[in-house]
PDB file of all heavy atoms in Angstrom:
ATOM      1  N   ASN A  10     -37.129  15.109  12.780  1.00  0.00           N
ATOM      2  CA  ASN A  10     -36.792  13.777  13.327  1.00  0.00           C
ATOM      3  C   ASN A  10     -35.403  13.772  13.931  1.00  0.00           C
ATOM      4  O   ASN A  10     -35.200  13.193  14.997  1.00  0.00           O
ATOM      5  CB  ASN A  10     -36.889  12.743  12.223  1.00  0.00           C
ATOM      6  CG  ASN A  10     -38.303  12.429  11.778  1.00  0.00           C
ATOM      7  OD1 ASN A  10     -39.236  12.593  12.560  1.00  0.00           O
ATOM      8  ND2 ASN A  10     -38.487  12.058  10.546  1.00  0.00           N
ATOM      9  N   LEU A  14     -34.291  13.039  17.830  1.00  0.00           N
ATOM     10  CA  LEU A  14     -33.293  12.048  18.211  1.00  0.00           C
ATOM     11  C   LEU A  14     -32.232  12.651  19.128  1.00  0.00           C
ATOM     12  O   LEU A  14     -31.790  12.027  20.079  1.00  0.00           O
ATOM     13  CB  LEU A  14     -32.641  11.454  16.960  1.00  0.00           C
ATOM     14  CG  LEU A  14     -33.464  10.418  16.201  1.00  0.00           C
ATOM     15  CD1 LEU A  14     -32.802  10.042  14.889  1.00  0.00           C
ATOM     16  CD2 LEU A  14     -33.639   9.145  17.052  1.00  0.00           C
ATOM     17  N   LEU A  31     -27.325  17.326  42.984  1.00  0.00           N
ATOM     18  CA  LEU A  31     -28.369  17.462  43.988  1.00  0.00           C
ATOM     19  C   LEU A  31     -28.517  16.156  44.809  1.00  0.00           C
ATOM     20  O   LEU A  31     -28.600  16.189  46.039  1.00  0.00           O
ATOM     21  CB  LEU A  31     -29.688  17.813  43.286  1.00  0.00           C
ATOM     22  CG  LEU A  31     -30.922  17.893  44.199  1.00  0.00           C
ATOM     23  CD1 LEU A  31     -30.738  18.979  45.260  1.00  0.00           C
ATOM     24  CD2 LEU A  31     -32.185  18.145  43.380  1.00  0.00           C
ATOM     25  N   ILE A  80     -43.971  -8.761  16.448  1.00  0.00           N
ATOM     26  CA  ILE A  80     -44.512  -8.775  17.802  1.00  0.00           C
ATOM     27  C   ILE A  80     -44.033  -9.987  18.566  1.00  0.00           C
ATOM     28  O   ILE A  80     -43.625  -9.863  19.712  1.00  0.00           O
ATOM     29  CB  ILE A  80     -46.060  -8.739  17.758  1.00  0.00           C
ATOM     30  CG1 ILE A  80     -46.563  -7.425  17.169  1.00  0.00           C
ATOM     31  CG2 ILE A  80     -46.618  -8.943  19.140  1.00  0.00           C
ATOM     32  CD1 ILE A  80     -46.196  -6.193  18.018  1.00  0.00           C
ATOM     33  N   ALA A  86     -37.841 -11.520  23.003  1.00  0.00           N
ATOM     34  CA  ALA A  86     -36.760 -10.758  23.634  1.00  0.00           C
ATOM     35  C   ALA A  86     -37.110 -10.401  25.072  1.00  0.00           C
ATOM     36  O   ALA A  86     -36.252 -10.478  25.989  1.00  0.00           O
ATOM     37  CB  ALA A  86     -36.509  -9.477  22.847  1.00  0.00           C
ATOM     38  N   LEU A  90     -34.843 -11.653  28.304  1.00  0.00           N
ATOM     39  CA  LEU A  90     -34.311 -10.702  29.323  1.00  0.00           C
ATOM     40  C   LEU A  90     -34.893 -10.966  30.699  1.00  0.00           C
ATOM     41  O   LEU A  90     -34.176 -10.858  31.706  1.00  0.00           O
ATOM     42  CB  LEU A  90     -34.605  -9.265  28.866  1.00  0.00           C
ATOM     43  CG  LEU A  90     -33.818  -8.786  27.649  1.00  0.00           C
ATOM     44  CD1 LEU A  90     -34.369  -7.477  27.124  1.00  0.00           C
ATOM     45  CD2 LEU A  90     -32.319  -8.629  28.042  1.00  0.00           C
ATOM     46  N   LEU A 130     -35.547  -3.104  29.416  1.00  0.00           N
ATOM     47  CA  LEU A 130     -36.712  -3.306  28.545  1.00  0.00           C
ATOM     48  C   LEU A 130     -37.165  -2.001  27.909  1.00  0.00           C
ATOM     49  O   LEU A 130     -37.506  -1.954  26.723  1.00  0.00           O
ATOM     50  CB  LEU A 130     -37.842  -3.963  29.298  1.00  0.00           C
ATOM     51  CG  LEU A 130     -37.655  -5.446  29.671  1.00  0.00           C
ATOM     52  CD1 LEU A 130     -38.792  -5.882  30.586  1.00  0.00           C
ATOM     53  CD2 LEU A 130     -37.610  -6.318  28.409  1.00  0.00           C
ATOM     54  N   LEU A 138     -38.698   1.549  18.504  1.00  0.00           N
ATOM     55  CA  LEU A 138     -39.466   2.691  17.951  1.00  0.00           C
ATOM     56  C   LEU A 138     -38.596   3.464  16.939  1.00  0.00           C
ATOM     57  O   LEU A 138     -39.097   3.876  15.898  1.00  0.00           O
ATOM     58  CB  LEU A 138     -39.969   3.591  19.054  1.00  0.00           C
ATOM     59  CG  LEU A 138     -41.187   3.080  19.845  1.00  0.00           C
ATOM     60  CD1 LEU A 138     -41.435   3.935  21.068  1.00  0.00           C
ATOM     61  CD2 LEU A 138     -42.444   3.037  18.967  1.00  0.00           C
ATOM     62  N   ASN A 202     -48.359  -3.007  11.394  1.00  0.00           N
ATOM     63  CA  ASN A 202     -47.937  -3.667  10.156  1.00  0.00           C
ATOM     64  C   ASN A 202     -48.074  -5.165  10.227  1.00  0.00           C
ATOM     65  O   ASN A 202     -47.634  -5.900   9.354  1.00  0.00           O
ATOM     66  CB  ASN A 202     -46.466  -3.334   9.881  1.00  0.00           C
ATOM     67  CG  ASN A 202     -46.287  -1.841   9.570  1.00  0.00           C
ATOM     68  OD1 ASN A 202     -47.157  -1.216   9.016  1.00  0.00           O
ATOM     69  ND2 ASN A 202     -45.129  -1.325   9.947  1.00  0.00           N
ATOM     70  N   LEU A 229     -20.630 -10.623  23.696  1.00  0.00           N
ATOM     71  CA  LEU A 229     -19.176 -10.486  23.750  1.00  0.00           C
ATOM     72  C   LEU A 229     -18.765  -9.108  23.214  1.00  0.00           C
ATOM     73  O   LEU A 229     -17.883  -8.431  23.777  1.00  0.00           O
ATOM     74  CB  LEU A 229     -18.519 -11.555  22.924  1.00  0.00           C
ATOM     75  CG  LEU A 229     -16.970 -11.539  22.839  1.00  0.00           C
ATOM     76  CD1 LEU A 229     -16.335 -11.582  24.195  1.00  0.00           C
ATOM     77  CD2 LEU A 229     -16.474 -12.668  21.922  1.00  0.00           C
ATOM     78  N   ALA A 251      -4.569   7.745  42.234  1.00  0.00           N
ATOM     79  CA  ALA A 251      -5.958   8.083  42.101  1.00  0.00           C
ATOM     80  C   ALA A 251      -6.121   9.516  41.582  1.00  0.00           C
ATOM     81  O   ALA A 251      -7.068   9.823  40.856  1.00  0.00           O
ATOM     82  CB  ALA A 251      -6.656   7.937  43.460  1.00  0.00           C
ATOM     83  N   SER A 292     -28.926  -1.210  -4.244  1.00  0.00           N
ATOM     84  CA  SER A 292     -29.818  -0.279  -4.916  1.00  0.00           C
ATOM     85  C   SER A 292     -29.182   1.133  -4.889  1.00  0.00           C
ATOM     86  O   SER A 292     -28.380   1.419  -3.973  1.00  0.00           O
ATOM     87  CB  SER A 292     -31.189  -0.234  -4.245  1.00  0.00           C
ATOM     88  OG  SER A 292     -31.109   0.301  -2.943  1.00  0.00           O
ATOM     89  N   LEU A 349     -10.661   9.979  18.530  1.00  0.00           N
ATOM     90  CA  LEU A 349     -12.095   9.870  18.793  1.00  0.00           C
ATOM     91  C   LEU A 349     -12.953  10.448  17.704  1.00  0.00           C
ATOM     92  O   LEU A 349     -14.059   9.973  17.430  1.00  0.00           O
ATOM     93  CB  LEU A 349     -12.403  10.555  20.152  1.00  0.00           C
ATOM     94  CG  LEU A 349     -11.966   9.776  21.397  1.00  0.00           C
ATOM     95  CD1 LEU A 349     -11.891  10.647  22.611  1.00  0.00           C
ATOM     96  CD2 LEU A 349     -12.911   8.600  21.649  1.00  0.00           C
ATOM     97  N   LEU A 385      -1.678  -2.905  26.663  1.00  0.00           N
ATOM     98  CA  LEU A 385      -0.797  -1.726  26.443  1.00  0.00           C
ATOM     99  C   LEU A 385      -1.026  -0.643  27.473  1.00  0.00           C
ATOM    100  O   LEU A 385      -0.068  -0.009  27.912  1.00  0.00           O
ATOM    101  CB  LEU A 385      -1.043  -1.195  25.034  1.00  0.00           C
ATOM    102  CG  LEU A 385      -0.597  -2.087  23.867  1.00  0.00           C
ATOM    103  CD1 LEU A 385      -1.043  -1.496  22.525  1.00  0.00           C
ATOM    104  CD2 LEU A 385       0.921  -2.265  23.875  1.00  0.00           C
ATOM    105  N   THR A 410     -12.304   1.728  13.801  1.00  0.00           N
ATOM    106  CA  THR A 410     -13.011   2.205  12.625  1.00  0.00           C
ATOM    107  C   THR A 410     -12.418   1.579  11.351  1.00  0.00           C
ATOM    108  O   THR A 410     -13.148   1.098  10.491  1.00  0.00           O
ATOM    109  CB  THR A 410     -12.970   3.731  12.553  1.00  0.00           C
ATOM    110  OG1 THR A 410     -13.616   4.299  13.688  1.00  0.00           O
ATOM    111  CG2 THR A 410     -13.647   4.223  11.277  1.00  0.00           C
ATOM    112  N   GLY A 431     -16.223   4.852   1.884  1.00  0.00           N
ATOM    113  CA  GLY A 431     -14.826   5.042   2.171  1.00  0.00           C
ATOM    114  C   GLY A 431     -14.214   6.162   1.329  1.00  0.00           C
ATOM    115  O   GLY A 431     -13.392   6.945   1.796  1.00  0.00           O
ATOM    116  N   ILE A 444      -6.942  21.688   5.775  1.00  0.00           N
ATOM    117  CA  ILE A 444      -7.393  22.966   6.316  1.00  0.00           C
ATOM    118  C   ILE A 444      -6.722  23.216   7.662  1.00  0.00           C
ATOM    119  O   ILE A 444      -6.213  24.338   7.949  1.00  0.00           O
ATOM    120  CB  ILE A 444      -8.922  23.035   6.494  1.00  0.00           C
ATOM    121  CG1 ILE A 444      -9.572  23.018   5.086  1.00  0.00           C
ATOM    122  CG2 ILE A 444      -9.354  24.241   7.279  1.00  0.00           C
ATOM    123  CD1 ILE A 444     -11.092  22.908   5.130  1.00  0.00           C
ATOM    124  N   PHE A 453       1.365  29.835  13.025  1.00  0.00           N
ATOM    125  CA  PHE A 453       2.666  29.637  13.658  1.00  0.00           C
ATOM    126  C   PHE A 453       3.817  29.882  12.687  1.00  0.00           C
ATOM    127  O   PHE A 453       4.949  29.879  13.080  1.00  0.00           O
ATOM    128  CB  PHE A 453       2.757  28.218  14.266  1.00  0.00           C
ATOM    129  CG  PHE A 453       1.710  27.932  15.278  1.00  0.00           C
ATOM    130  CD1 PHE A 453       0.598  27.197  14.968  1.00  0.00           C
ATOM    131  CD2 PHE A 453       1.808  28.506  16.550  1.00  0.00           C
ATOM    132  CE1 PHE A 453      -0.385  26.937  15.927  1.00  0.00           C
ATOM    133  CE2 PHE A 453       0.867  28.247  17.522  1.00  0.00           C
ATOM    134  CZ  PHE A 453      -0.244  27.471  17.209  1.00  0.00           C
TER     135      PHE A 453
END
Side-chain angles (χ1 to χ4, degrees):
N10 289 331
L14 282 172
L31 176 61
I80 294 296
L90 290 168
L130 287 173
L138 284 169
N202 295 328
L229 178 59
S292 66
L349 284 162
L385 291 174
T410 299
I444 292 173
F453 300 102

